[in-house]
């Protein structure tokens, strides 16, 4: 049987138009203020059908039955999409409204705590469009390189400030290429582990690997580090594992040849059980980042007459809570900059006696 998303929900026209009617009336706040998020929370459990809420709860589950991926089709998209943003341009300048941003934030608050990292985008919702000058970068702005399978920000699970890797990431198509564009590939590591030997799994559970931080994170964080100490790839029960791995070039270094072989076997198994989806306009993909890897094919992007990319995907990160982000400075309410250090608290001591005037 060919692998596919764990659950695929297709909204009816009536459901889609109801979502539009409610969310297009809310002003999107790119900073992610409490005032804005509270507005979203008030409508979140009514705007989506019950089967969507049930599926999201399964993504947040803590057992072996937790969903690794969720696809929702026929979501509404803003009218009159006239282009796509570059760099720090706002997406609202290229479409009539902020409907897709509000959809992503609503899905985010249903899943956990939405947030953004400043070097990924200066708004709560990130815009992923190919940039010609970044074509060879291993980021969402690149196109000529394959973004190989990875857990998002895998190394951040082992940083001194605490685990700041996302619980989930949510992707929504806003604008598409005529032929569909590249595929985003998804692989549930639980299925991949079924193909490995007990010896492979034992080495993956051992502290046998150095995991490098993503390219944009290098030199960042409250205590800058470019890689982890010796760490495991797997932790927790085998039926519901926490996976921390990235298969970009030179992202994981094994301590010995047997650990390296286990890592290679895992990679082959991850590829074997993977499947591809095209994130077309109105299609949303929610990826459980605890154990589900994703990748994106290399591709040759198409551009319109204004040199704006035809492919435009929006993304939001979701955490279980924001406690471990306390070492990062919020440059906006929920946009954190790990490059800016928080002020160290003063050490407690005896009060000085003021000198006589």
């Amino acid at each position: 049987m060919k692998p596919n998303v764990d659950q695929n929900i297709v909204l009816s026209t009536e459901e889609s138009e109801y979502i539009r009617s409610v969310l297009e009336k809310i002003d999107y706040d790119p900073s992610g203020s409490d005032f804005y998020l509270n507005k979203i929370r008030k409508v979140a459990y009514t705007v989506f059908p019950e089967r969507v809420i049930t599926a999201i709860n399964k993504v947040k589950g803590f057992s072996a039955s937790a969903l690794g991926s969720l696809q929702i089709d026929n979501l509404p998209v803003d009218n009159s999409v006239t282009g796509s943003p570059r760099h720090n341009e706002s997406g609202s300048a290229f479409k009539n409204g902020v409907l897709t941003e509000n959809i992503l934030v609503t899905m985010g608050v249903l899943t956990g705590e939405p947030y953004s990292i400043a070097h990924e985008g200066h708004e709560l919702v990130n815009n992923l469009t190919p940039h010609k000058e970044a074509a060879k970068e291993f980021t969402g702005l690149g196109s000529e390189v394959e973004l190989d399978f990875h857990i998002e920000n895998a190394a951040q699970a082992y940083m001194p400030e605490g685990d700041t890797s996302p619980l989930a990431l949510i992707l929504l198509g806003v604008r598409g290429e005529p032929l569909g564009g590249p595929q985003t590939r998804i692989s549930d590591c639980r299925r991949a582990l079924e193909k490995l030997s007990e010896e492979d799994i034992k080495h993956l559970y051992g502290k046998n690997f150095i995991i490098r931080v993503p390219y944009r994170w290098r030199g960042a964080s409250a205590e800058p580090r470019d890689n982890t100490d010796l760490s495991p790839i797997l932790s927790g029960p085998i039926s519901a594992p926490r996976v921390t791995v990235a298969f970009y070039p030179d992202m994981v270094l094994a301590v010995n040849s047997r650990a390296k072989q286990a890592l290679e076997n895992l990679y082959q198994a991850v590829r074997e059980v993977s499947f591809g989806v095209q994130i077309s306009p109105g299609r949303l993909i929610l990826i459980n980042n605890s154990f589900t890897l994703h990748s994106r094919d290399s591709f040759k992007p198409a551009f319109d007459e204004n040199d704006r990319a035809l492919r435009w995907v929006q993304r939001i990160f979701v955490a279980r809570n924001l406690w471990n982000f306390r070492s990062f400075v919020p440059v906006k309410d929920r946009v954190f900059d790990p490059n800016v250090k928080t002020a160290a608290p003063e050490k407690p001591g005896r009060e000085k006696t003021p000198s006589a005037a």
Side-chain angles (χ1 to χ4, degrees):
M1 184 176 176
K2 186 178 179 181
N4 206 334
V5 290
D6 286 344
Q7 188 166 347
N8 184 10
I9 296 174
V10 181
L11 299 176
S12 68
T13 300
E14 292 77 12
E15 290 169 334
S16 183
E17 286 307 308
Y18 178 68
I19 292 170
R20 179 189 297 276
S21 69
V22 175
L23 293 185
E24 71 179 358
K25 296 174 183 175
I26 297 177
D27 292 331
Y28 165 63
D29 181 353
S31 70
S33 66
D34 283 344
F35 179 78
Y36 166 62
L37 289 178
N38 287 340
K39 278 189 174 182
I40 293 290
R41 288 190 180 100
K42 286 179 182 177
V43 302
Y45 283 91
T46 60
V47 72
F48 283 110
E50 186 175 345
R51 65 188 188 283
V52 172
I53 308 297
T54 300
I56 293 173
N57 288 337
K58 289 181 180 177
V59 172
K60 296 188 291 185
F62 53 86
S63 69
S65 62
L67 293 184
S69 57
L70 170 64
Q71 178 176 316
I72 302 175
D73 285 320
N74 199 33
L75 281 161
V77 175
D78 297 279
N79 297 318
S80 303
V81 178
T82 58
S84 61
R86 300 191 191 114
H87 300 296
N88 294 323
E89 293 177 331
S90 176
S92 61
F94 300 93
K95 53 190 178 69
N96 184 20
V98 289
L99 177 59
T100 56
E101 286 87 349
N102 284 339
I103 288 172
L104 279 168
V105 176
T106 305
M107 288 290 291
V109 300
L110 289 171
T111 307
E113 296 291 343
Y115 72 95
S116 180
I117 297 296
H119 57 242
E120 299 283 359
H122 287 278
E123 294 187 10
L124 182 60
V125 172
N126 306 151
N127 294 302
L128 305 180
T129 62
H131 288 40
K132 291 181 177 179
E133 68 276 16
K136 296 185 183 297
E137 289 184 6
F138 285 93
T139 70
L141 307 183
S143 56
E144 293 183 11
V145 293
E146 176 188 7
L147 299 181
D148 215 338
F149 284 101
H150 61 286
I151 292 291
E152 192 74 22
N153 295 349
Q156 299 308 117
Y158 301 110
M159 290 295 108
E161 61 268 13
D163 183 358
T164 55
S165 62
L167 158 68
L169 61 152
I170 309 174
L171 305 166
L172 175 61
V174 179
R175 194 186 196 202
E177 299 207 0
L179 300 179
Q183 289 199 322
T184 295
R185 299 189 184 274
I186 298 172
S187 181
D188 189 326
C189 201
R190 296 173 299 183
R191 299 186 181 104
L193 293 175
E194 294 173 358
K195 295 179 172 291
L196 300 189
S197 68
E198 290 184 6
E199 187 71 12
D200 284 335
I201 290 172
K202 183 183 78 171
H203 281 83
L204 294 171
Y205 269 107
K207 291 185 177 181
N208 295 320
F209 306 92
I210 294 173
I211 308 170
R212 301 197 70 191
V213 303
Y215 293 93
R216 287 179 172 178
W217 282 83
R218 292 179 187 174
S221 81
E223 300 178 35
R225 296 173 66 187
D226 286 348
N227 52 261
T228 68
D229 295 329
L230 286 174
S231 305
I233 296 299
L234 302 178
S235 59
I238 191 68
S239 61
R242 176 69 188 276
V243 181
T244 47
V245 70
F247 291 109
Y248 288 9
D250 302 320
M251 286 296 286
V252 178
L253 306 175
V255 71
N256 56 44
S257 59
R258 187 60 188 86
K260 183 178 180 181
Q261 185 62 56
L263 186 65
E264 291 175 354
N265 292 345
L266 175 63
Y267 178 60
Q268 292 304 319
V270 162
R271 292 189 70 90
E272 286 177 22
V273 302
S274 69
F275 58 91
V277 296
Q278 287 180 326
I279 305 179
S280 53
R283 171 171 289 172
L284 181 145
I285 302 292
L286 193 158
I287 299 170
N288 187 328
N289 196 55
S290 296
F291 52 79
T292 303
L293 292 84
H294 67 284
S295 73
R296 194 222 61 217
D297 292 347
S298 61
F299 68 108
K300 185 175 178 60
F303 295 85
D304 64 20
E305 65 277 7
N306 297 315
D307 211 28
R308 298 284 176 170
L310 294 184
R311 185 177 192 262
W312 179 7
V313 173
Q314 290 185 318
R315 174 190 65 195
I316 197 165
F317 293 127
V318 184
R320 291 193 185 277
N321 61 67
L322 299 180
W323 175 249
N324 288 339
F325 293 80
R326 65 195 185 279
S327 296
F328 301 162
V329 169
V331 292
K332 296 178 182 176
D333 292 87
R334 289 200 176 213
V335 180
F336 298 96
D337 191 343
N339 290 288
V340 181
K341 297 180 180 179
T342 56
E346 293 184 6
K347 293 182 180 179
R350 183 178 300 173
E351 293 185 6
K352 293 180 180 179
T353 304
S355 56

